[in-house]
Structure formats: structure tokens, C-alpha cells
Amino acid sequence: MTEHQTIPLAGVIGWPIAHSLSPRVHGHWLARYGIAGHYVPLGVTEADFGVALAALPKLGFVGANVTMPHKERAFALADSRSEMATRLGAANTLVFDPSQGIMADNTDGFGFIENLREKVNGWDAGAGPVTVLGAGGAARAVIVALIEAGVPELRLLNRTKARAEALRDEIAPTVSVLDWGEAENALAGAALVVNATSMGMEGGPDMALNLHEIGPDTVATDIVYARGETPFLTAAKGRGAKIVDGFGMLLHQARPGFERWFGHAPEVDENLRRAVLEC
Ligand code: ATR
């Protein structure tokens, strides 16, 4: 019997991949639960993606995470797809099943909601309107997850309005698209404000939005993880808002894959956070 038949392998496929934190997340869990398995970074270019994906199950992989730029391609090449992946047209978690082939799921929205639930005691999707800033790839999973969670009203703003309208028409017909210049109105009375733009990210453009409608009753969250607090979160905190950074989303989105591949439901806690951030 070869080793791969007894020791399950998984990994994250992307390009570039060196900065991915996923190997640290899964590596910590494997060690902590004493599971004989491995999780590795897999740097694969777009040109090689199809061949690489087809080879993985034959190499002893039980599944993989997929990140930029392969999420749509992974979805298209899968043999079966979860409802969430189908709605988004993109996959971040693949399970390789000997009889069913490549099964595609998308757990980004799950990670987003679980992070809020962990960080905001008693977080209630029904608490009030939600405002999402940004309509890029990262916003899509979050918007669908918020609608599924039952938010009463979702206001979507993007610098390029046509992109927000396209997102609405494609995956979220109930969202209200507002002009970027209407940020004040869009933020008024919002229970949750989600920054899904690259504004204020490391290496990204400055935060250029008036946030004075944000107050102590607002939860403000960033969906992309940046080391340290982003200017968006700093500004929201300065206005008394409860802030939630994007790091937990990364940790929570990893849970369903780990459980499927390695047979143990993992926990997100301070030990994990420390292990992932220690570089
Ligand atoms: P991702 O997949 O991570 O969301 P993306 O698709 O490049 O990345 O989207 C980046 C988001 O940040 C978009 O909503 C983008 O707005 P546009 O669609 O108008 O480009 C937003 N963004 C980037 N720079 C911005 C800026 N200076 N002001 C406002 N929004 C900005």
C-alpha cells in the first residue's frame, strides 16, 4: 500500500500562492488534533490549472482549497456543485470523492457570517439594514450569505455603479443599488457596514468616504484581511462602532473543508490565531 492511500493530502491551489495563510491554518489543526495528514501550498498557473486539478485525486489528495485566480475555473471543471457555489459561479473548497469525482463548494460567505457571530455577541441578521461598499469578487459571496441569513435590507454601493447593478442582476435581485455619492444616505441607520473595496488596504487606495453616519449602534467589518487595523476600521471605531476585522473570515471559511477532508470539526480560537500570525 502506498503512503497516500493512508495519509490524506489537501492543499490550496492559487497563483501566486506564497502568501497564503491557509497552510498555517490547516497545519495548526492537523497538529492539534493529532491527525496524520498534510496540507500544502500548490502554486499553479492558469495555463496548468486543468491538468493539475485532474492529477490531484490520483496523487492522494482528498480535496483542496482554491484561491485567485482559479475560483471560477474550479467551479466549471467540477463534477458536482453545492447550491452556494452554483449561485456564485465560483468555488473555494473542493472535495475529491472516489465515486462522485470533484465536488465544488463555496464557504466564503459561511466564513463571513461565522466570523460576525463569533465576534459580535448575539449578532442578528435581522437587526437592521446592511450597507456593502464594493462589488468586486470578494463582495459576491458576502452579499449572498447576508441575504440567506435574512437581512431585511441590503444597500450596495460601488464606485463603478454598473458593476453593482450587474452583481444585483446576476446573483442578488433584492439588493438596492445606490450611487457612490450617496454614501451618507446609504450608511444612515445601517446596523452593519461591510467594506469590500480595496480602499484603505495595504498598498490600496486611501479611504475616501464620509463615515459620519456610522455610530455606536453600527457593526463595521472589512472582508479582506490586512495586518493591523485598516483605516476603515480605525475610522469606524473612532465613531464608536463595534469593529470586526477580516482575519476571522479567513479562519472560519477553512472549517468545512478541514472537516470533510480530515474527519474532524476544527475550532477557531486564540491558539489558532496566534499560530497563523506568528511568522
Ligand atoms: P476583489 O475581488 O478583492 O473584490 P476587485 O474585483 O478588484 O477585488 O474589487 C475591488 C473593489 O474595490 C471594487 O469594488 C472597486 O470598485 P470599482 O468596481 O469601481 O473598481 C473598489 N475600489 C478600488 N479602488 C477604489 C477607490 N479608490 N475608491 C472606491 N472603490 C475602490
Side-chain angles (χ1 to χ4, degrees):
M1 194 183 267
T2 55
E3 187 181 321
H4 74 248
Q5 285 170 296
T6 53
I7 298 187
L9 307 178
V12 54
I13 317 172
W15 187 265
I17 202 63
H19 299 297
S20 172
L21 294 175
S22 293
R24 288 171 177 272
V25 175
H26 291 274
H28 172 83
W29 283 333
L30 286 167
R32 171 161 159 190
Y33 302 120
I35 294 169
H38 299 285
Y39 184 102
V40 292
L42 298 161
V44 176
T45 63
E46 285 186 69
D48 290 336
F49 183 73
V51 172
L53 179 63
L56 289 178
K58 300 175 190 175
L59 292 165
F61 279 75
V62 291
N65 286 124
V66 183
T67 186
M68 300 273 280
H70 303 310
K71 288 184 173 186
E72 287 79 16
R73 192 80 192 293
F75 171 82
L77 292 175
D79 298 301
S80 64
R81 301 158 183 96
S82 71
E83 207 182 310
M84 185 55 93
T86 302
R87 255 183 100 170
L88 296 168
N92 77 332
T93 302
L94 304 175
V95 174
F96 305 147
D97 183 276
S99 57
Q100 296 184 65
I102 298 172
M103 296 153 68
D105 193 9
N106 195 309
T107 67
D108 286 330
F110 168 84
F112 173 80
I113 299 285
E114 288 293 296
N115 186 36
L116 279 181
R117 292 204 168 118
E118 184 200 335
K119 290 290 171 53
V120 185
N121 217 354
W123 183 72
D124 172 17
V130 175
T131 304
V132 176
L133 310 170
R140 296 169 61 95
V142 165
I143 288 170
V144 170
L146 284 165
I147 293 168
E148 294 280 305
V151 300
E153 180 189 345
L154 201 150
R155 307 161 180 168
L156 175 61
L157 285 80
N158 195 50
R159 179 181 58 179
T160 311
K161 191 178 184 186
R163 209 171 171 202
E165 289 168 337
L167 187 156
R168 174 196 63 200
D169 296 347
E170 207 186 317
I171 59 168
T174 56
V175 311
S176 314
V177 173
L178 284 92
D179 284 332
W180 191 244
E182 285 183 83
E184 269 178 67
N185 290 338
L187 293 173
L192 174 67
V193 179
V194 183
N195 177 28
T197 74
S198 43
M199 281 188 308
M201 306 304 299
E202 224 171 298
D206 286 346
M207 184 76 224
L209 207 60
N210 187 339
L211 301 178
H212 76 247
E213 287 292 342
I214 288 181
D217 295 331
T218 320
V219 174
T221 186
D222 251 331
I223 66 174
V224 181
Y225 171 63
R227 253 171 216 283
E229 214 167 73
T230 63
F232 169 73
L233 293 183
T234 305
K237 190 163 81 178
R239 305 207 53 80
K242 163 86 184 153
I243 63 166
V244 179
D245 70 34
F247 183 45
M249 177 175 171
L250 171 88
L251 304 178
H252 284 284
Q253 64 78 31
R255 285 167 41 203
F258 188 91
E259 183 171 5
R260 293 294 300 273
W261 306 322
F262 300 117
H264 188 101
E267 277 169 84
V268 170
D269 62 9
E270 282 315 306
N271 289 333
L272 174 68
R273 284 173 210 275
R274 258 198 309 277
V276 174
L277 291 176
E278 264 167 22
C279 288

